[in-house]
Amino acid sequence: MKPARTKTPRKPPVKKGAQTTLKDPVGVYCRVRPLSLLDQECCIEVINNTTVQLHTPEGYRLNRNGDYKETQYSFKQVFGTHTTQKELFDVVANPLVDDLIHGKNGLLFTYGVTGSGKTHTMTGSPGEGGLLPRCLDMIFNSIGSFQAKRYVFKSNDRNSMDIQCEVDALLERQKREATPNPKTPSSKRQVDPEFVDMINVQEFCKAEEVDEDSVYGVFVSYIEIYNNYIYDLLEEVPFDPIKPKPPQSKLLREDKNHNMYVAGCTEVEVKSTEEAFEVFWRGQKKRRIANTHLNRESSRSHSVFNIKLVQAPLDADGDNVLQEKEQITISQLSLVDLAGSERTNRTKAEGNRLREAGNINQSLMTLRTCMEVLRENQMYGTNKMVPYRDSKLTHLFKNYFDGEGKVRMIVCVNPKAEDYEESLQVMRFAEVTQEVEVARPIDRPICGLTPGRRYRNQARGGPVGDEPLVSEMVLQSFPPLPPCEILNINDEQTLPRLIEALEKRHQLRQMMTDEFNKQAITFKALLQEFDNAVLNKENYIQGKLNEKEKVISGQKLEIERLEKKNKTLEYKIEILEKTTTIYEEDKRSLQQELETQNQKLQRQFSDKRRLEARLQGMMTETTMKWEKECERRVAAKQLEMQNKLWVKDEKLKQLKAIVTEPRTEKPERPSRERDREKVTQRSVSPPPVPNAPPIRLRHRRSRSAGDRWVDHKPASNVQTETVMQPHVPHAITVSVANEKALAKCEKYMLTHQELASDGEIETKLIKGDVYKTRGGGQSVQFTDIETLKQESPTGRKRRSSTAAPAQPDGTESEWTDVETRCSVAVEMRAGSQLGPGYQHHAQPKRKKP
């Protein structure tokens, strides 16, 4: 009785954001190749296993005015000149191959200038296989015994795989074998001696924990990116000697999982390392031929070798591959050999070569720009768009940087001094790249079938390789048949022997049939007992399940109660968090308001202090101004009081003279010279500049136009209200004479005021020339004096005794009484040169009403 086959559970959909996104930085390694000549200058030094140091060559120091600078760069690991291919593979590529076998993608590319050892690192040389053949060897060492038969997996044009049953795969194999293609790889063909030493890896390497309940298939493809166009190096193009067709470029497309792939790219299924490397070598040869036809060289394009591993689980019996496309797992490892970056002025490129170099540098620059934008987005939290579409290289591998697999880069450098500037740019790019973080790929879901299906099928007699079947073993246990060839018509022994042998076989078969029937009956009884036991077990288990379901239902109710309680608590917590947030916002707003008020108070306090200082300064300035004004007014008042006092003294003198003079005598005219001696000159202005040289008596006219003047007006001068005022253009007005003002001018003018004889203020303008002395000072030589005098139009004139008109009564007019004479004396103006006794024509003093 064969157990019923259960349906395989489908792969549960992976929800984005369900797991915490973990990120790993891009692994950047550095490999330093040895110098080709021992006497070459070296500009790169390995400090330790993670650091290299660049030295500026001698020539560059001379060109840059002796600027010597040493720069250190750190990597995940540095491989020196004595590193073997095995050591490099174990550290860099081995983890990627292990992830490939466990369903994860990987990207490994070599970067560096031309001649830095990129191709040697990736492909290798005879006797020293590179990373590519070692990756293939590890893959087939790990899945060799679990590979599916050829054509069980079949690629399509949608970047996915279809699965065929054993019969369809067998028919396709027979069809392909009926039409042999010499270019189709086969394990029976002899290995090409050109690369036999490259794939002959001595060290055995194998992945751990390979899923033994799955079958695997390996598909490889080989493309190149030249002048930003993609070409398939494995495409079979019919050769036309008359009109050869150039290879057609391929397009990039996006599959249903948003992964980029090359549409129409040839994928070849391989079963061994030799087959895979033979496909690669064929692409290399074709690439060189294509390059020759299109004027391309091997270093003028980026090459991409893709290894696609297809994995599908066995069915529940462990006999055949599970015919469900959803259970197929596809992982891919891309090995990229980037074109060398160099300056065109060193390569002397022209024409097509110059265009190729420009496209190479443009694609590498786009790769560097993408790395810089990714780093900026991750470091500063920005959301800038990464320019993947600017180049086919970055557009093809954008899924790796978005979290579809691990990314590893090997920076190959040549330590010779001629490559210093290119190596410096390569180091800077590597420094930017290793700061970029890539999301860690999500582990694939586990198939719901029971593990160990393959070996259980083999243990119960399932097909195991080339072992004989049970029917063949039964036939071999029968007695052998005698020779059945009859050569003589009279032979009577052959047929009896044959009949005897057949009878024995029949008897043996009958015995075996009886034994089989007995065993079948016994087995049926055992099965019946087993079915009864199973039924009893099922009943017992059903009772237990019912009990467990009751317990589970009770637990579910408890869980629902706890969930409700949990939701209630979460709601309360949310309310408390919102309340806390509101309080914190209020606290922040109050703190900000407090800080604002404090700042406002500080500003007001600062403004108050500035205002106080300003008011203090204004008070001081105003105080000094008013003190000077008071001093000036006091001086003017003193001068006015002195004038009034002098006028009173004169009046009293004249009154005394009139009173004491006898009547009969006529007043005699005093001498003017004597009166001038009696009058005291009172000066109200300071004297001219002291220590001035003597004035030469020269009379010349005033020249005020064209020269600069020093207008010296002492502070004690009284402001007159006359219409005519002295005005000197281009003058520097000072109150005290100083050397600074005299040094800037050619003329000097002093305004001097004094009291005239008639009591009015007389202003004198004393002018002079400014001369420089031998000692470096200035001296003034006075040349002219201008006098400004004010007179009253109502001044009284004296009457002449000889020309006095006759009185109406015929008598001579004389001063006969003291009152009249006193009134005349009192009306005389201050400062008059006339003394008592002079005759005046005056009116009698007007009496106040």
Side-chain angles (χ1 to χ4, degrees):
M1 182 176 177
K2 191 174 182 180
R5 180 177 297 179
T6 57
K7 189 176 180 181
T8 305
R10 294 184 179 273
K11 180 169 62 175
V14 180
K15 296 182 179 179
K16 293 186 178 180
Q19 296 180 356
T20 304
T21 303
L22 300 177
K23 292 186 178 182
D24 296 322
V26 175
V28 182
Y29 303 86
C30 179
R31 186 178 192 183
V32 184
R33 65 159 292 175
L35 292 171
S36 56
L37 300 176
L38 296 178
D39 57 347
Q40 279 185 318
E41 184 182 1
C42 180
C43 65
I44 297 177
E45 178 186 0
V46 179
I47 303 299
N48 50 42
N49 59 349
T50 59
T51 308
V52 295
Q53 181 170 327
L54 266 69
H55 304 278
T56 307
E58 294 293 337
Y60 290 91
R61 295 180 216 166
L62 296 177
N63 292 337
R64 288 170 173 76
N65 300 324
D67 185 12
Y68 180 79
K69 185 177 180 181
E70 294 182 351
T71 311
Q72 291 187 357
Y73 295 92
S74 298
F75 298 89
K76 193 169 184 179
Q77 189 166 341
V78 176
F79 301 95
T81 57
H82 302 290
T83 302
T84 62
Q85 299 279 47
K86 176 66 168 56
E87 295 173 353
L88 182 66
F89 171 78
D90 290 340
V91 176
V92 181
N94 191 312
L96 295 179
V97 177
D98 189 76
D99 288 345
L100 176 73
I101 294 173
H102 291 87
K104 298 178 183 179
N105 298 329
L107 172 63
L108 173 62
F109 60 95
T110 56
Y111 181 81
V113 300
T114 300
S116 59
K118 301 186 301 298
T119 305
H120 174 75
T121 300
M122 187 62 69
T123 307
S125 58
E128 294 184 357
L131 298 179
L132 191 148
R134 292 178 183 273
C135 289
L136 293 172
D137 188 67
M138 180 177 175
I139 291 171
F140 288 106
N141 288 340
S142 303
I143 66 169
S145 59
F146 308 127
Q147 290 191 69
K149 293 182 179 181
R150 201 182 295 271
Y151 306 121
V152 170
F153 298 111
K154 189 176 181 180
S155 62
N156 52 32
D157 295 334
R158 299 180 298 276
N159 198 30
S160 61
M161 287 288 170
D162 296 330
I163 188 168
Q164 299 185 125
C165 63
E166 292 286 346
V167 177
D168 294 338
L170 178 60
L171 292 176
E172 189 164 354
R173 283 197 301 271
Q174 292 175 355
K175 182 180 177 181
R176 296 293 181 93
E177 290 173 0
T179 58
N181 187 359
K183 293 185 178 180
T184 303
S186 175
S187 57
K188 297 180 181 180
R189 294 181 57 188
Q190 189 176 1
V191 181
D192 193 338
E194 284 187 78
F195 58 83
V196 66
D197 291 336
M198 293 186 185
I199 62 175
N200 188 15
V201 180
Q202 300 295 332
E203 301 85 359
F204 181 83
C205 189
K206 181 180 178 181
E208 300 293 336
E209 298 181 0
V210 180
D211 188 5
E212 298 172 348
D213 293 320
S214 299
V215 291
Y216 300 87
V218 180
F219 293 81
V220 295
S221 61
Y222 195 19
I223 63 171
E224 70 170 351
I225 301 175
Y226 170 73
N227 283 345
N228 208 24
Y229 290 98
I230 300 176
Y231 297 97
D232 184 7
L233 296 177
L234 302 181
E235 185 179 14
E236 298 295 337
V237 180
F239 179 70
D240 189 357
I242 299 175
K243 190 178 180 181
K245 294 182 179 180
Q248 297 296 320
S249 62
K250 302 295 181 180
L251 298 177
L252 285 177
R253 298 200 184 279
E254 191 175 33
D255 62 7
K256 62 180 181 180
N257 297 323
H258 305 289
N259 294 324
M260 303 306 299
Y261 70 99
V262 180
C265 181
T266 304
E267 291 184 343
V268 181
E269 185 178 7
V270 292
K271 293 296 180 183
S272 64
T273 305
E274 292 78 9
E275 290 183 37
F277 203 82
E278 182 182 356
V279 173
F280 168 75
W281 200 254
R282 193 177 75 218
Q284 282 288 88
K285 287 183 177 180
K286 184 179 178 182
R287 181 185 175 196
R288 294 192 182 97
I289 294 172
N291 291 340
T292 303
H293 284 304
L294 298 175
N295 285 330
R296 289 180 287 176
E297 296 180 357
S298 60
S299 62
R300 297 300 89 194
S301 63
H302 310 298
S303 65
V304 182
F305 187 76
N306 291 319
I307 304 173
K308 186 177 290 186
L309 183 66
V310 186
Q311 180 180 355
L314 294 173
D315 57 9
D317 294 335
D319 295 333
N320 301 312
V321 182
L322 189 64
Q323 298 293 315
E324 289 190 14
K325 191 176 179 180
E326 292 81 3
Q327 293 294 334
I328 296 177
T329 302
I330 302 175
S331 55
Q332 180 173 299
L333 175 61
S334 299
L335 304 176
V336 185
D337 185 8
L338 296 177
S341 62
E342 69 277 334
R343 292 177 297 171
T344 56
N345 58 356
R346 288 189 60 195
T347 57
K348 308 297 181 183
E350 296 179 356
N352 291 334
R353 294 292 179 270
L354 184 61
R355 179 167 170 262
E356 294 166 2
N359 287 318
I360 290 171
N361 292 334
Q362 180 65 32
S363 62
L364 295 177
M365 182 59 68
T366 303
L367 178 62
R368 181 169 185 172
T369 304
C370 292
M371 294 296 179
E372 290 176 350
V373 174
L374 283 171
R375 183 188 65 168
E376 183 177 354
N377 289 342
Q378 293 170 5
M379 293 180 65
Y380 304 108
T382 58
N383 194 18
K384 291 185 178 180
M385 185 182 70
V386 184
Y388 291 121
R389 293 179 178 268
D390 292 351
S391 172
K392 291 289 182 15
L393 178 67
T394 54
H395 195 193
L396 178 61
F397 297 118
K398 84 179 192 65
N399 303 105
Y400 289 96
F401 297 104
D402 290 341
E404 291 295 333
K406 289 185 179 180
V407 181
R408 296 289 182 268
M409 182 176 74
I410 301 176
V411 176
C412 300
V413 292
N414 194 337
K416 64 179 182 180
E418 290 80 2
D419 292 345
Y420 171 73
E421 289 194 358
E422 287 84 353
S423 300
L424 189 62
Q425 297 298 326
V426 169
M427 292 294 181
R428 290 173 180 171
F429 171 68
E431 189 176 27
V432 173
T433 303
Q434 63 186 347
E435 293 180 0
V436 176
E437 293 183 346
V438 178
R440 187 176 299 177
I442 302 173
D443 294 334
R444 64 190 178 112
I446 301 174
C447 178
L449 297 175
T450 307
R453 301 183 299 279
R454 181 189 296 269
Y455 291 109
R456 279 205 307 273
N457 182 32
Q458 294 177 0
R460 64 173 178 261
V464 184
D466 297 330
E467 295 182 5
L469 298 176
V470 177
S471 59
E472 295 180 358
M473 296 175 64
V474 171
L475 290 176
Q476 289 177 2
S477 64
F478 286 166
L481 293 175
C484 300
E485 186 177 2
I486 300 176
L487 299 177
N488 189 0
I489 193 171
N490 298 319
D491 188 1
E492 296 179 357
Q493 296 180 359
T494 303
L495 289 176
R497 283 198 300 267
L498 180 59
I499 292 171
E500 184 181 0
L502 290 176
E503 287 178 352
K504 288 182 179 180
R505 285 198 171 202
H506 180 70
Q507 291 175 1
L508 183 60
R509 181 177 177 277
Q510 191 66 31
M511 291 173 59
M512 291 180 66
T513 302
D514 295 340
E515 185 67 24
F516 178 75
N517 290 331
K518 291 179 182 180
Q519 290 181 1
I521 293 171
T522 305
F523 185 69
K524 284 181 180 180
L526 292 174
L527 283 178
Q528 189 67 30
E529 293 178 1
F530 182 74
D531 288 340
N532 294 330
V534 168
L535 185 59
N536 294 330
K537 282 284 187 184
E538 286 180 354
N539 294 331
Y540 176 74
I541 291 172
Q542 189 65 32
K544 289 289 185 182
L545 285 176
N546 293 333
E547 294 178 0
K548 292 293 184 182
E549 285 179 357
K550 291 180 181 179
V551 175
I552 289 171
S553 60
Q555 291 178 352
K556 284 183 178 179
L557 294 175
E558 184 67 18
I559 290 172
E560 289 178 358
R561 188 183 64 81
L562 293 175
E563 285 180 351
K564 290 180 180 179
K565 185 177 180 181
N566 188 21
K567 287 182 180 179
T568 306
L569 294 176
E570 287 179 353
Y571 180 71
K572 291 182 179 180
I573 291 172
E574 186 178 358
I575 293 176
L576 291 175
E577 288 179 350
K578 290 182 179 179
T579 307
T580 306
T581 305
I582 293 172
Y583 286 157
E584 288 179 352
E585 290 178 356
D586 293 342
K587 180 182 177 182
R588 284 196 296 269
S589 61
L590 291 174
Q591 286 180 351
Q592 291 178 359
E593 186 177 357
L594 180 61
E595 291 177 358
T596 305
Q597 293 295 334
N598 288 334
Q599 293 176 0
K600 187 176 180 181
L601 289 175
Q602 291 291 339
R603 286 196 299 270
Q604 291 179 355
F605 184 68
S606 300
D607 294 341
K608 182 179 179 181
R609 286 189 296 181
R610 286 196 297 270
L611 185 60
E612 288 179 354
R614 184 178 176 183
L615 291 176
Q616 187 70 25
M618 291 176 65
M619 288 177 60
T620 305
E621 184 180 357
T622 306
T623 304
M624 294 177 63
K625 181 178 178 181
W626 281 107
E627 285 179 355
K628 291 182 180 179
E629 182 67 18
C630 291
E631 291 177 358
R632 187 184 66 78
R633 289 184 180 182
V634 168
K637 199 68 177 178
Q638 287 179 355
L639 179 61
E640 183 181 356
M641 296 301 294
Q642 288 177 2
N643 292 337
K644 288 182 179 181
L645 183 62
W646 185 83
V647 169
K648 288 181 180 182
D649 291 342
E650 289 293 329
K651 287 181 180 181
L652 289 175
K653 286 181 183 180
Q654 292 178 5
L655 181 59
K656 183 179 180 181
I658 291 171
V659 172
T660 57
E661 184 180 5
R663 273 184 164 182
T664 56
E665 295 180 1
K666 292 182 180 180
E668 296 180 1
R669 182 187 178 110
S671 175
R672 290 183 178 272
E673 300 296 333
R674 186 176 54 194
D675 292 339
R676 289 192 184 97
E677 289 178 2
K678 291 180 181 179
V679 176
T680 303
Q681 298 292 336
R682 296 184 181 179
S683 177
V684 297
S685 299
V689 179
N691 299 326
I695 301 174
R696 292 183 294 178
L697 299 177
R698 295 188 301 172
H699 299 282
R700 59 181 179 181
R701 300 178 64 183
S702 173
R703 296 179 299 168
S704 61
D707 296 327
R708 296 198 67 180
W709 289 77
V710 176
D711 189 3
H712 183 186
K713 292 182 179 180
S716 59
N717 284 358
V718 179
Q719 184 69 28
T720 60
E721 298 179 356
T722 59
V723 176
M724 300 181 64
Q725 294 285 343
H727 174 68
V728 182
H730 309 294
I732 300 176
T733 303
V734 296
S735 59
V736 179
N738 54 63
E739 292 183 359
K740 185 176 180 180
L742 292 174
K744 296 180 181 180
C745 302
E746 296 82 23
K747 299 291 185 178
Y748 175 84
M749 181 177 70
L750 171 65
T751 302
H752 176 68
Q753 288 183 347
E754 63 182 6
L755 194 65
S757 59
D758 57 354
E760 294 292 335
I761 297 176
E762 185 180 81
T763 304
K764 293 184 178 181
L765 304 178
I766 305 172
K767 299 182 289 185
D769 297 330
V770 180
Y771 294 92
K772 293 184 179 180
T773 62
R774 292 182 179 179
Q778 288 81 23
S779 63
V780 178
Q781 184 176 359
F782 295 101
T783 59
D784 195 4
I785 299 176
E786 292 183 7
T787 303
L788 302 178
K789 187 174 181 181
Q790 184 179 4
E791 294 182 355
S792 176
T794 59
R796 297 180 182 274
K797 296 182 180 180
R798 65 181 179 82
R799 290 182 299 178
S800 175
S801 60
T802 59
Q807 296 294 330
D809 55 358
T811 61
E812 185 179 359
S813 176
E814 291 181 355
W815 293 334
T816 56
D817 55 348
V818 176
E819 183 178 357
T820 304
R821 295 171 64 183
C822 287
S823 65
V824 172
V826 170
E827 288 295 330
M828 293 178 65
R829 293 184 61 83
S832 175
Q833 298 289 337
L834 301 177
Y838 283 80
Q839 292 182 357
H840 294 272
H841 298 279
Q843 304 252 351
K845 184 177 180 181
R846 185 179 299 174
K847 295 181 179 180
K848 294 181 181 180

